[in-house]
Amino acid sequence: MKAYTIPAVYRLTILSILLLIIGSGCSSTRGLDKNQVLVRKITIKGIDHQFTEAAVNYVDKQQQPNNWLNLQLYYTFSKKGKKNYGEAPSILDSNLVEYSRLQMERYIQNRGYLKAKIADSIIIKKQKAELVFTAVEGPMFRIRKITDSIADKNIKKLYDNNRNKISQISPGARFDTDSLAHDRDELYLLMKRNGYFDFYRQYVNYNVDSTFNNNVVDITMTVDNPPGKTSHPIYTINNTQISISRSNGRSTGKADTIQVDSQFRFVDFSHRFKPRTVIDYTFQRKGQLYNIDQQTLTTTRLSELNVFRNVPNPTYEKLPDSSNRINTKIDIVPLKQMSDRVEGEVLFSGGRFGYNIGNTFTNRNLFKQAAILQVKFNWSILFDNGQSIQNQELRGGVNLIYPRILTPFNFPLLGKFGVPHTTFSSNYSLFFQKDLVKRESFINSVTYDFFETARKQHTITPISIEFSRGILDPAARDTLLKQNRLSYVKLIGRTTFTTGSQYTFQYNALELNSYKNFTYFRGSLDVGGNFLNLASNIFNTPKDADNQRKIFGYTFSQYAKTELDLRIYRTLGGERQFVFRFNPGIGVPYGNSNELIFEKNFYTGGANDIRAWLPRTLGPGQFNRASYGTDTSTRAGLKYLDQFGEIKMIANAEYRYKLADNFFGAKLKGAIFMDAGNVWRLGKKVENPGGEFRFDNILQSTAIGIGTGLRFDLGFFIFRLDAALKFKDPQFSGADQWVLIKHGDELFKSGSFKEAYLKANATGVDKDGKIMGDSYNFMQLNFGIGLPF
């Protein structure tokens, strides 16, 4: 249900802290001795622009200019290095400058400028130094001819068949030692994928001849045989022993020992696993050539089962005969089977307080098959000014997750690109809101998820059964009916159930934590009620007063809902990144329904889409709560109604950058963002005037928010603080929509605009005659775990 506002004094205090962190103005040399000089700038001249940014990295780390914030944190908190905060100042050291010059010169020469020379100079002003590196690159050398000398004819044949796939060097290309290193690594992996267990990178060497006068080089690649041998041996997989220790890592006591087949021997000291659990995800089979990719695939998939604490690479033992076979041993340490996690938080919001308590019990290895059982309970409660309960919600759920696809018929494992799952889920929710409604829902489903490729993931829910019921407070019902909000009464106060199916496709989810250039896509389709509609027509079931068919005494819902999430990520060098996101969706009731199920509607606002608005407080369209009228008791009764729609369009643009490497043990990163969008109703609704979707009114009914934020990156999770400002508010008309431009002078104080808004949204007066109601908040602070998208 609807969220609440944070008092302005809290918002102003936290924003001041945020600005203090970002905008402090301390001197960068205040911590230096008189004889010390701080390196503040590096200038590189004469180097090809495509190599300039990389060349800077060859300057010694202790001579790299400090990040300003890192330096201030060091001066303020580290007490001259006694504590590990921020970053020690980069003190000028002429020996390190010379070392940096040599490293940079070698780097340029390795990029094909074999005659390149670099000179350095130092400019000092007021204890601040600028390092200047000036290059004379000379001619760029290109590759004239490439030959190879491979003693083993089988390797020669394998290389010739795959050269075009693995090689980055070619005649006419710029000479580059990185390309030679790439080719060596690719040839090494090619050997390891084709049975050459004993092959090492050291067998591959390159001879470069640059003695010509035409700025060209000849390259000869040589692949040597092992000492004393005429060829490299090829190995095949023989027997495999899988050993599982106890969760403390010890392999003591009696073990469950099973000879599964001619290849696998299973030894379990924990007595907790069936052999199939591990063997299904062991991809190295007896008689196959040794393949390093199958080795990596095995350790990766076993780790993804989430029941093992440590899955190291297998160890191998060559058979003492001349058969070139190897035995494999996989030693695994399991996690503790049972765990219980209690979570809680205290909420302070708009003069109210509350708490949220959750508990999750996990059994990681049910039925000895790595099936994960999760039992979750959550209770949240919010008190109204410390006197009575404003709202509370109780949620409980049970999930049983199998690491394979379970169907009545045989189904392939589908484990090459990721562990597939079958999830049986049952969830119950009971929500109570004071003087408005009590709603409960019960959802049961079976879901399959699997990877088509490493980048393409499918999630299919063939059956989902949902029952929901709402009981309206009689006084609230009368208030809603007086406001002609009959459809809202039916929406939140009716009892309904449906059966449906869902499908979700994701692309490139594996890249979401990287700084690469990539596009992420997620699309979902949710369809419900069609089977029940067919059954009701076949059996001619009765209808209710609204001419909707019933089954088992309840009406059922028919609908189709789809949502897309498209994101474009672009790296800007280092840890700087630009992200654009477009997130539309639409839900359409049809057949036996004229309204979506309440929980199927779209909402906006909150920490992950339009951050300048609280969740469920924006839209639909240009809807303004002033349409409730002037009666304060009516307005008080409608104060906490959710704002929702059947159509959603959200767009976000965010620039992310790094501020400091060590901010009290975390990387401190920043963001600047703009959010735009809204939700709309499918058609005109009496209860939401101006809330319908129209193509000729999209711009006028779109909200815009802008802001900045901090991200505290601890590695295993990110803590986020965003401050967002309303820039364009569609509930107003004309120029008044541009609230930050027209009324920005009231950002941190009250004026005619805020006073008029409070009067229009009044819900009564207190004992001192002061108007009570919703005040207008330009700024919203959002706290969250993880990135918004």
Side-chain angles (χ1 to χ4, degrees), residues 251-537:
S251 298
T252 56
K254 185 177 180 181
D256 292 336
T257 303
I258 302 172
Q259 185 67 42
V260 179
D261 54 27
S262 62
Q263 176 183 356
F264 290 102
R265 180 179 175 83
F266 183 75
V267 181
D268 182 10
F269 289 92
S270 72
H271 309 286
R272 287 166 40 192
F273 296 91
K274 292 183 178 179
R276 179 188 175 190
T277 303
V278 181
I279 292 173
D280 278 354
Y281 292 99
T282 303
F283 294 91
Q284 300 179 111
R285 298 297 175 175
K286 190 170 185 175
Q288 293 179 349
L289 292 179
Y290 165 80
N291 187 334
I292 194 173
D293 286 349
Q294 301 292 3
Q295 168 189 301
T296 303
L297 188 61
T298 297
T299 56
T300 301
R301 295 297 169 264
L302 291 177
S303 297
E304 289 176 358
L305 290 175
N306 290 325
V307 295
F308 300 121
R309 176 162 55 93
N310 187 21
V311 186
N313 285 327
T315 58
Y316 299 94
E317 180 182 354
K318 302 174 190 175
L319 269 64
D321 56 28
S322 59
S323 62
N324 289 344
R325 292 178 296 166
I326 51 177
N327 289 332
T328 307
K329 194 171 187 296
I330 303 174
D331 296 310
I332 308 174
V333 180
L335 289 165
K336 290 184 178 180
Q337 183 170 353
M338 308 287 187
S339 68
D340 194 73
R341 185 177 73 250
V342 178
E343 297 176 316
E345 60 181 348
V346 178
L347 311 173
F348 295 94
S349 183
R352 301 172 176 85
F353 74 93
Y355 54 82
N356 182 31
I357 299 174
N359 186 85
T360 301
F361 167 79
T362 302
N363 183 328
R364 290 190 177 87
N365 189 32
L366 202 64
F367 312 126
K368 295 187 175 183
Q369 297 182 45
I372 297 177
L373 174 69
Q374 288 184 333
V375 182
K376 297 182 178 182
F377 292 99
N378 184 272
W379 181 38
S380 59
I381 186 168
L382 185 69
F383 292 93
D384 185 8
N385 298 316
Q387 298 177 357
S388 61
I389 295 174
Q390 179 63 54
N391 64 50
Q392 60 180 321
E393 184 175 16
L394 177 67
R395 287 175 290 169
V398 178
N399 295 322
L400 179 59
I401 307 168
Y402 274 86
R404 57 184 56 86
I405 302 296
L406 298 181
T407 62
F409 47 86
N410 291 330
F411 203 85
L413 182 61
L414 298 177
K416 182 177 180 181
F417 300 105
V419 174
H421 298 98
T422 301
T423 302
F424 301 92
S425 179
S426 184
N427 295 279
Y428 175 79
S429 173
L430 174 63
F431 179 87
F432 167 79
Q433 186 154 339
K434 178 185 176 183
D435 299 329
L436 181 59
V437 69
K438 180 177 75 174
R439 284 195 61 82
E440 59 180 340
S441 65
F442 188 44
I443 304 173
N444 298 277
S445 64
V446 179
T447 300
Y448 303 106
D449 66 80
F450 60 91
F451 289 85
E452 177 189 347
T453 69
R455 298 180 181 275
K456 298 178 182 179
Q457 183 180 8
H458 303 270
T459 303
I460 302 171
T461 302
I463 182 66
S464 174
I465 303 172
E466 180 173 349
F467 174 87
S468 62
R469 176 169 58 187
I471 302 174
L472 275 169
D473 180 85
R477 180 185 179 90
D478 292 341
T479 299
L480 289 166
L481 292 177
K482 288 178 183 178
Q483 285 283 318
N484 295 318
R485 303 178 70 86
L486 179 61
S487 63
Y488 193 89
V489 169
K490 293 181 177 180
L491 180 66
I492 68 171
R494 68 174 175 166
T495 299
T496 185
F497 79 101
T498 190
T499 60
S501 301
Q502 293 95 39
Y503 169 72
T504 300
F505 172 75
Q506 285 192 86
Y507 178 74
N508 256 351
L510 80 168
E511 301 287 6
L512 285 177
N513 294 320
S514 73
Y515 288 95
K516 299 177 182 178
N517 292 326
F518 67 95
T519 298
Y520 167 82
F521 175 79
R522 183 179 186 274
S524 64
L525 177 64
D526 184 357
V527 180
N530 292 335
F531 173 78
L532 295 177
N533 184 62
L534 177 63
S536 67
N537 287 325

Side-chain angles (χ1 to χ4, degrees), residues 43-103:
T43 301
I44 296 178
K45 301 178 180 179
I47 293 179
D48 191 313
H49 70 277
Q50 64 177 312
F51 303 126
T52 301
E53 184 174 345
V56 173
N57 296 327
Y58 286 85
V59 177
D60 188 87
K61 185 178 180 180
Q62 296 182 43
Q63 300 298 285
Q64 295 277 358
N66 294 98
N67 173 284
W68 183 89
L69 184 57
N70 272 330
L71 187 60
Q72 298 305 324
L73 291 173
Y74 179 87
Y75 286 151
T76 304
F77 300 108
S78 287
K79 297 182 179 180
K80 296 186 178 180
K82 293 181 181 179
K83 295 183 178 181
N84 186 29
Y85 297 133
E87 182 180 82
S90 297
I91 305 300
L92 179 65
D93 184 327
S94 59
N95 291 326
L96 292 179
V97 174
E98 171 61 14
Y99 173 77
S100 301
R101 183 195 69 78
L102 291 172
Q103 291 296 103

